[in-house]
Amino acid sequence: MGHGRKKKRTHAVPSQEEMEKIPKTLVVKSGGVGRSVGALVSDVRHVMEPNTASKLKERKSNKIKDYIAVSSQLGLTHLMLFSQTETGTNLRIGRIPRGPTLYFRVNKYSLAKDCLKLQRTPHVSDAEYKTSPLIILNNFAGEDKGKELKLMTAMLQNMFPAINPSAMHLSDARRVVLFNYNEATGMVDFRHFTIVVKPVGVTKGVKRVIMAKNLPSLAGYDDISEYVLREAFASESDVEDGPENSVTLPQDYVGRGNTKNEQRAIRLLELGPRMELRLMKIEGGLCEGDILYHNYLHKTKTQLEKEARMRQIKLTRQARRRQEQEQNVERKKKVKSRKVDTAKNEKTSDDDRGDDDDEYGSMSGADSDVAPSDNSDAESEARSVLPKPTRTRASADDFGADEYKESDDEDDGAPDGEMNDEDDYAEEERKPAKRSKI
């Protein structure tokens, strides 16, 4: 039974400290931009991989403060903000969270798909975007250069991770980002390339055999020498791959036959996009603050001092207003808490009063339930003991109606015309009762 392939390479995972040192750039667009500028933003994100958010979906309503709010959680260090106005396309590159900010005008640009269409055999590979690109700054140094170029140089360098040539792996160097400063026009050219190594000292046909994964078809040739001699003419690439452009590989590189100590020629193939930038101004903060440099406006020392005083007054007013708002918030919180406590106390007293009422009502209800039951039992027993009365019909003779008039005068005991007490009582009994007024 065969054994599995033994893994010889080690994939070292960077530590937390190393990850924090790696700069991360957020590439976004601000406001409404056209479709071509949106595609340019996607291409620039592709350039800044893997240390950027490639699939970020921002909204038109997003502000700079929204990106600053999430920068600490995501470990963002730089912000590239594209915008479009009636005059043209603009690019702002700022250091998060306190600046400075470089303002560029994008005079010209070409998308990545346009750059690949110009090539006969475009080189496209997703494996190249797994590592950060190398940065090359051309024509930025010099004593006669202004302070704005020094600041621009430091800003562009810090956007990409630093490298240690003695410790890095050669296979990690797959792409190159070039910034070239043109002194005649004052423009900064932006280019993006991939690194390709090719054999040196062989013809074009032999290069195809060496570098290709599959052997070329020789069906149209009688002998392999015809294939080699047919491609023996020097092409433009063969002329460029001279001794001055060849290097000895110190480590194994990506590709077939690119082993250590082999002679190889270094070639750059453009991936895109392209941009032609002009520096407009530099601000001290993140899209705000003092204007450190302006390409068109030049102010005197007096004007600068006046602007500094006005800015200080504005900051003082903002701090005072912020303090007042905090005090108002605290006061409202106290009032709200006091109202909540009062409402809780009232609710507690109402609950206690309701419990007393319920207790009293239950006691009275119990008495009322018991009393009627006892009375009803006693009444039922009395009815059962007493005899039932019989009803008889009486006539007038039973009451002595014939002797009533004779005995009336004899038994009356009072003079004529006067009534005794018994007669008064009987008379009152015969009178109808008066209705009381309510």
Side-chain angles (χ1 to χ4, degrees):
M1 183 175 181
H3 297 282
R5 182 175 64 90
K6 185 179 293 185
K7 184 178 179 180
K8 297 181 180 180
R9 293 180 298 175
T10 58
H11 300 274
V13 179
S15 61
Q16 184 67 23
E17 296 180 357
E18 295 177 352
M19 291 295 294
E20 292 178 356
K21 293 180 180 180
I22 296 176
K24 296 181 181 180
T25 305
L26 185 65
V27 184
V28 294
K29 54 182 179 291
S30 176
V33 298
R35 184 178 300 177
S36 58
V37 177
L40 178 62
V41 172
S42 300
D43 292 342
V44 176
R45 288 178 183 175
H46 211 38
V47 173
M48 303 304 295
E49 285 186 357
N51 301 319
T52 187
S54 302
K55 299 180 180 180
L56 178 67
K57 294 182 179 180
E58 66 275 20
R59 299 177 180 177
K60 294 181 181 179
S61 58
N62 289 132
K63 305 297 181 182
I64 296 178
K65 62 181 180 181
D66 299 332
Y67 302 120
I68 297 176
V70 299
S71 61
S72 59
Q73 301 175 359
L74 302 178
L76 302 177
T77 58
H78 292 81
L79 176 66
M80 296 184 68
L81 188 64
F82 285 87
S83 61
Q84 191 174 20
T85 60
E86 297 179 356
T87 57
T89 305
N90 302 318
L91 170 62
R92 284 175 280 181
I93 302 177
R95 174 79 178 186
I96 298 176
R98 295 172 181 162
T101 306
L102 306 180
Y103 286 75
F104 293 96
R105 173 66 56 81
V106 183
N107 291 344
K108 300 177 183 178
Y109 66 90
S110 299
L111 301 179
K113 61 180 182 179
D114 299 330
C115 296
L116 295 177
K117 287 180 180 179
L118 298 177
Q119 303 175 12
R120 184 177 180 181
T121 56
H123 184 85
V124 179
S125 176
D126 294 335
E128 298 170 350
Y129 295 94
K130 295 181 179 180
T131 57
S132 301
L134 307 178
I135 180 173
I136 299 176
L137 299 175
N138 185 37
N139 205 16
F140 279 85
E143 297 181 357
D144 56 340
K145 301 293 192 302
K147 296 181 179 179
E148 64 276 7
L149 284 183
K150 295 182 180 179
L151 184 57
M152 188 195 309
T153 302
M155 177 71 74
L156 296 177
Q157 283 180 345
N158 294 330
M159 289 176 60
F160 299 88
I163 61 173
N164 186 3
S166 60
M168 70 172 297
H169 296 281
L170 188 62
S171 58
D172 293 340
R174 305 289 298 274
R175 294 182 294 131
V176 172
V177 173
L178 172 65
F179 290 94
N180 178 52
Y181 178 70
N182 192 342
E183 294 183 0
T185 60
M187 298 289 182
V188 179
D189 298 326
F190 173 87
R191 296 288 188 274
H192 181 218
F193 302 94
T194 182
I195 301 175
V196 179
V197 294
K198 293 185 177 182
V200 180
V202 294
T203 62
K204 190 175 182 180
V206 176
K207 285 182 182 180
R208 291 179 180 176
V209 175
I210 295 175
M211 298 180 63
K213 295 182 180 180
N214 300 322
L215 293 177
S217 177
L218 302 178
Y221 303 96
D222 296 334
D223 188 35
I224 191 173
S225 60
E226 295 183 5
Y227 174 78
V228 174
L229 295 176
R230 182 179 178 181
E231 303 290 343
F233 298 100
S235 62
E236 182 180 357
S237 61
D238 294 332
V239 175
E240 292 179 358
D241 297 341
E244 63 277 3
N245 295 328
S246 61
V247 296
T248 302
L249 297 178
Q251 300 176 9
D252 294 343
Y253 196 68
V254 180
R256 185 179 179 184
N258 298 327
T259 58
K260 185 178 179 180
N261 298 328
E262 290 288 337
Q263 287 289 118
R264 290 292 183 268
I266 306 299
R267 299 293 305 276
L268 297 178
L269 298 179
E270 188 169 8
L271 297 176
R274 298 180 184 178
M275 287 189 294
E276 189 176 80
L277 309 174
R278 178 185 292 275
L279 181 63
M280 303 301 294
K281 67 176 181 179
I282 301 176
E283 289 184 348
L286 184 60
C287 299
E288 61 181 4
D290 300 338
I291 299 178
L292 306 179
Y293 167 80
H294 204 288
N295 193 16
Y296 297 110
L297 300 179
H298 301 281
K299 297 182 180 181
T300 62
K301 186 177 180 180
T302 305
Q303 292 176 343
L304 295 176
E305 292 177 354
K306 183 178 179 181
E307 289 183 356
R309 289 196 302 269
M310 296 299 295
R311 192 177 298 107
Q312 187 63 30
I313 293 172
K314 183 179 179 180
L315 294 176
T316 305
R317 291 177 179 176
Q318 290 179 353
R320 188 184 302 113
R321 178 58 181 164
R322 190 178 297 110
Q323 185 178 3
E324 292 177 357
Q325 290 177 350
E326 292 177 355
Q327 293 176 357
N328 294 335
V329 170
E330 292 295 333
R331 179 177 54 81
K332 291 180 180 179
K333 286 182 179 180
K334 291 180 180 179
V335 173
K336 185 176 180 180
S337 62
R338 193 180 301 112
K339 290 182 178 179
V340 171
D341 295 339
T342 305
K344 288 182 178 179
N345 296 333
E346 292 178 354
K347 185 177 180 181
T348 305
S349 61
D350 294 340
D351 294 341
D352 296 340
R353 192 181 300 111
D355 295 339
D356 296 340
D357 295 342
D358 294 340
E359 183 178 0
Y360 177 75
S362 62
M363 293 176 62
S364 61
D367 297 339
S368 62
D369 294 340
V370 173
S373 62
D374 296 339
N375 296 335
S376 60
D377 294 340
E379 290 176 359
S380 60
E381 292 177 359
R383 291 193 191 98
S384 62
V385 172
L386 294 176
K388 295 182 179 180
T390 58
R391 293 182 179 181
T392 59
R393 189 171 182 178
S395 61
D397 296 337
D398 297 335
F399 290 95
D402 297 335
E403 299 178 355
Y404 179 75
K405 292 183 179 181
E406 297 177 356
S407 62
D408 187 14
D409 297 336
E410 296 176 357
D411 298 333
D412 195 3
D416 296 338
E418 295 182 1
M419 297 179 65
N420 55 11
D421 297 336
E422 295 180 359
D423 295 335
D424 294 340
Y425 180 76
E427 186 68 22
E428 291 293 334
E429 288 291 329
R430 286 192 295 270
K431 290 182 180 180
K434 295 183 179 180
R435 298 180 62 183
S436 61
K437 295 182 180 180
I438 301 175

